[in-house]
Amino acid sequence: MRTSRYLLATVKETPSDAAIVSHQLMLRAGMIRKLASGLYSWLPTGLRVLQKVERIIREEMDRCGAQEVLMPVVQPMELWEESGRGPDYGPELLRVRDRHDNPFCLGPTHEEVITDLVRNEIQSYKQLPMNFYQIQTKFRDEIRPRFGVMRSREFTMKDAYSFHLDQASLEQTYDAMYQCYCRIFDRLGLDYRAVDADPGAIGGSGSQEFHVLAESGEDAIAFSDSSDYAANVELAEVVVEGERPAPQQEMKLVDTPDARTIAELVEQFDQPIEKTVKTLVVKASEEAGGGLIALLVRGDQELNELKAEKLPRVASPLEMAGGDEIRAAIGAGAGSLGPVNLPVPCIVDRSVALMSDFSAGANIDGKHYFGINWERDTALPEVADLREAQAGDPSPDGQGRLEIRRGIEVGHIFQLGTKYSEALGATVLDENGRDVPMTMGCYGIGVTRVVAAAIEQNHDERGIIWPEAIAPFHVSLVPVNLKKSPRERELCEQLYEQLTEAGVDVLYDDREKERLGVKLADAELLGIPHRIVVAERGLDDGKVEYRARRDTENTMVEADCILEFIIERLGAAQPPRR
RNA sequence: CGGGGCGUGGCGCAGUCUGGUAGCGCACCACAAUGGGGUUGUGGGGGUCGGAGGUUCGAAUCCUCCCGUCCCGACCA
């Protein structure tokens, strides 16, 4: 492509309404333009990237035996009534009516449509399993579209739906899709983790999310530094190591009139924070007979509310007790609570169970006990996993330690079961001639979001740094002064032709009106991985300048060898197309 | 849907408090110079000041309503 004939559409200034880097850079690099809130047009540069992502997804889905289909964006509401999902979806579902006043909606997803298709086409268990996918526009009338293409109302999604006779078959395909997704994100060149989305249900593998690691991610992910264990921080199990040390100190009652918080206790009485215990009082569940229950975590650690409310004795949703309730039940204020002589039931975090010689409130206003030891001073109550995982915790799978980083959810694989097949009557005859609902799985990738996530993960102050596999162009070819140098022009034209012929995507900057600085800045903003600068002063020695996007220095390369040089660098991951 | 901000040439903004008929930078067009990191000069083109109504001799500016858009909270690829 020649820049003189191309809608480069780069802009120098950062648009004011773009809050995150990927959005800013996509606008600045001329990839997208906003039409209305949550609606974006893709310009040539953006579309090139999008199509490269789609191509990789297609290739890998096809490789797994999935079959591509294409379903309508507009769907009859009838189907949504049949599945019973219409009311659940609420205003996020954009409803429209046709000229006959029949109700339709813009598809936010396609479970209903594919299930309808399959119930009419598949009759026998002998046809199963089958896996269908499409790459299609979805519409969700988001409450708050934001971050450009990261959370837009209209977006491109690859969605796949598999159909099975039984759970065992579903699990096989589910595992295959897991592997498929790993290959896709590997090929995209992204740093990602597969995260257990709901470890409680269906044996821990019912649903997994794929997250691209990036600081701007909306979810905190805990993952092992030496295995593929990964979980949402809120769901990550905390395992503790070691034994409880033997008591060293006697328990003593101390006057602590001005210590109402852990911070004050630590500061005023020189207590190490990891030797303090926080006592949080919450409502107990109906099953536990109501009333209050205390939850104990270490002074330097945080209660994980999700874990707490899953405990049978704790009310769900979690509700903190008020000051008056605490005083009525315990006879002391919230700042002076602890496990010794506690008149309400109590559950302690695993870390707390391993503490010795610790300090906590005495359940008497203005007093704490120091040097408390379990069993000697008070019985050890129920122990549970109550706290939020921290970086450095041992990985729950026993391998390595946890690291915590933020992630952008770009994929989700899910074992659906028979929810839709039952609702819509999608059944097959099994080997006994009986009608059984098909067991289903579904597998999504947010294609447009992948593009934004790739930028979030790969950029610097100059612009985007594309992974080679999805770069809009592989190489930028930049002459220093085309107007004045016939030699530069001649070589550039020749290289452009040769590279293009070799299947390399080249952006040849043949603009005569722009100076070198402008052209280089554009190439860097666009994030083109390889750059060749053709200059008079190198040509005297028959050389051109090469620089990779992340390099800080030029490499001089013989003009005669640059073609091979580039092709070699394009790497095995992205072989030239012809 | 709550809370907050912002709407002025394509983009980024000033002008609004204190009414007098619109300005700056970038981009664009022409010419000239320059030519290895967003160069310079000269001359141009382009704006119903988000919309409607009102106050006033006069409204970008004051008042009312509406719309759009962005940010912060519960959903999601």
Side-chain angles (χ1 to χ4, degrees):
Chain A
M1 185 60 65
R2 294 166 189 268
T3 52
S4 61
R5 304 300 315 149
Y6 184 69
L7 184 63
L8 208 48
T10 54
V11 289
K12 214 184 287 187
E13 276 163 311
T14 302
S16 59
D17 58 359
I20 59 170
V21 233
S22 60
H23 189 196
Q24 294 169 356
L25 289 175
M26 287 179 83
L27 290 166
R28 290 227 291 133
M31 293 178 67
I32 55 169
R33 288 292 183 259
K34 185 174 75 174
L35 175 67
S37 179
L39 303 176
Y40 290 86
S41 298
W42 290 74
L43 311 195
T45 305
L47 188 60
R48 279 174 166 262
V49 177
L50 195 61
Q51 287 177 336
K52 287 190 179 188
V53 174
E54 288 179 0
R55 183 161 148 243
I56 288 172
I57 293 173
R58 267 201 184 90
E59 284 174 6
E60 292 302 331
M61 290 299 293
D62 290 345
R63 202 149 84 118
C64 292
Q67 307 170 62
E68 187 167 4
V69 294
L70 187 61
M71 294 177 273
V73 176
V74 175
Q75 307 178 9
M77 277 309 293
E78 220 170 38
L79 272 182
W80 288 75
E81 277 148 28
E82 209 177 337
S83 73
R85 250 203 320 182
D88 298 354
Y89 244 90
E92 197 175 287
L93 193 63
L94 185 66
R95 295 149 207 261
V96 291
R97 283 179 182 270
D98 70 4
R99 62 168 70 198
H100 306 294
D101 206 32
N102 290 323
F104 289 85
C105 66
L106 295 191
T109 175
H110 282 75
E111 278 87 2
E112 280 81 1
V113 181
I114 190 74
T115 307
D116 171 72
L117 183 72
V118 165
R119 71 179 164 185
N120 293 321
E121 302 305 324
I122 295 184
Q123 322 297 340
S124 161
Y125 75 97
K126 291 179 188 168
Q127 292 173 279
L128 299 181
M130 277 206 188
N131 191 2
F132 302 99
Y133 78 97
Q134 66 172 348
I135 295 177
Q136 174 65 297
T137 298
K138 307 284 186 209
F139 192 94
R140 294 184 190 170
D141 200 353
E142 289 275 349
I143 294 166
R144 184 149 90 85
R146 58 185 138 168
F147 305 145
V149 119
M150 191 77 90
R151 174 175 310 232
S152 48
R153 293 195 289 180
E154 186 179 295
F155 58 99
T156 304
M157 185 170 159
K158 187 285 301 177
D159 49 330
Y161 307 90
S162 67
F163 294 83
H164 312 269
L165 179 62
D166 54 30
Q167 176 69 19
S169 167
L170 168 60
E171 280 171 24
Q172 246 176 24
T173 297
Y174 182 89
D175 290 343
M177 289 309 294
Y178 176 92
Q179 298 300 333
C180 178
Y181 273 38
C182 290
R183 278 196 301 274
I184 288 169
F185 292 113
D186 284 339
R187 280 187 61 188
L188 291 171
L190 299 174
D191 188 11
Y192 68 95
R193 291 291 183 284
V195 171
D196 288 342
D198 191 355
I202 329 177
S205 63
S207 172
Q208 282 159 299
E209 294 171 351
F210 285 75
H211 286 257
V212 167
L213 299 180
E215 278 170 36
S216 62
E218 292 186 271
D219 304 288
I221 310 295
F223 56 93
S224 167
D225 59 9
S226 46
S227 74
D228 58 9
Y229 173 83
N232 191 302
V233 161
E234 297 199 320
L235 298 173
E237 185 187 356
V238 174
V239 296
V240 293
E241 325 163 88
E243 307 265 302
R244 185 164 67 226
Q248 302 281 318
Q249 302 170 7
E250 289 306 308
M251 183 170 81
K252 56 182 183 200
L253 188 61
V254 180
D255 282 324
T256 55
D258 300 320
R260 297 169 167 277
T261 65
I262 293 290
E264 287 166 348
L265 189 69
V266 166
E267 192 188 334
Q268 294 167 23
F269 295 90
D270 200 25
Q271 294 289 303
I273 192 166
E274 66 279 1
K275 288 280 185 187
T276 62
V277 162
K278 266 194 284 214
T279 304
L280 304 154
V281 184
V282 302
K283 301 268 170 71
S285 64
E286 298 284 323
E287 306 96 274
L292 302 181
I293 187 162
L295 305 174
L296 270 59
V297 296
R298 228 167 69 180
D300 57 335
Q301 298 176 337
E302 295 301 321
L303 177 74
N304 177 317
E305 299 192 3
L306 224 62
K307 288 178 180 176
E309 69 188 24
K310 278 187 186 161
L311 296 172
R313 293 162 72 197
V314 173
S316 177
L318 192 77
E319 199 181 338
M320 301 302 277
D324 296 345
E325 286 173 290
I326 292 174
R327 187 160 296 278
I330 302 174
S336 305
L337 304 181
V340 181
N341 301 325
L342 183 68
V344 301
C346 172
I347 301 174
V348 307
D349 180 60
R350 290 171 176 173
S351 299
V352 173
L354 290 188
M355 295 171 75
S356 59
D357 299 327
F358 62 89
S359 41
N363 304 315
I364 304 167
D365 277 331
K367 290 182 192 297
H368 279 74
Y369 283 115
F370 289 1
I372 307 170
N373 283 279
W374 294 115
E375 274 148 11
R376 186 192 70 183
D377 303 318
T378 187
L380 180 63
E382 180 186 339
V383 177
D385 176 17
L386 285 181
R387 57 166 257 234
E388 193 101 355
Q390 292 176 315
D393 282 345
S395 176
D397 69 350
Q399 298 177 59
R401 303 204 157 266
L402 290 184
E403 214 175 298
I404 294 180
R405 286 174 59 187
R406 304 197 71 81
I408 300 165
E409 187 186 352
V410 290
H412 197 161
I413 57 178
F414 201 81
Q415 298 186 17
L416 280 178
T418 55
K419 179 177 170 184
Y420 296 97
S421 51
E422 274 177 24
L424 295 168
T427 59
V428 286
L429 290 184
D430 68 8
E431 60 267 70
N432 305 315
R434 265 205 308 250
D435 252 351
V436 289
M438 288 181 264
T439 299
M440 294 171 58
C442 79
Y443 320 93
I445 293 179
V447 183
T448 38
R449 183 181 281 185
V450 162
V451 175
I455 297 172
E456 288 295 327
Q457 193 175 78
N458 300 284
H459 65 271
D460 63 13
E461 63 290 343
R462 296 180 170 208
I464 304 166
I465 307 176
W466 288 112
E468 206 157 80
I470 56 173
F473 299 96
H474 298 126
V475 175
S476 68
L477 179 60
V478 184
V480 171
N481 188 343
L482 214 47
K483 211 168 179 175
K484 287 240 172 110
S485 171
R487 285 207 295 173
E488 287 179 12
R489 182 184 296 275
E490 192 187 341
L491 181 60
C492 280
E493 291 290 339
Q494 187 191 329
L495 283 176
Y496 177 55
E497 193 182 321
Q498 288 172 341
L499 285 163
T500 305
E501 192 55 35
V504 178
D505 285 331
V506 190
L507 185 65
Y508 170 26
D509 204 333
D510 63 341
R511 290 176 292 180
E512 291 186 7
K513 59 169 187 174
E514 296 298 354
R515 304 187 138 222
L516 181 67
V518 173
K519 294 189 276 194
L520 297 183
D522 274 345
E524 282 160 349
L525 177 59
L526 255 63
I528 303 174
H530 306 280
R531 184 176 89 192
I532 301 168
V533 172
V534 175
E536 272 290 333
R537 76 182 179 206
L539 287 180
D540 294 337
D541 302 327
K543 290 188 171 164
V544 296
E545 296 159 25
Y546 167 80
R547 187 140 149 185
R549 179 61 177 81
R550 288 184 195 271
D551 290 352
T552 50
E553 301 280 316
N554 289 334
T555 306
M556 299 305 294
V557 181
E558 296 286 340
D560 295 343
C561 307
I562 188 70
L563 189 66
E564 288 169 6
F565 182 92
I566 290 289
I567 287 170
E568 197 175 296
R569 260 164 190 70
L570 282 176
Q574 178 73 17
R577 261 176 290 161
R578 290 186 208 178

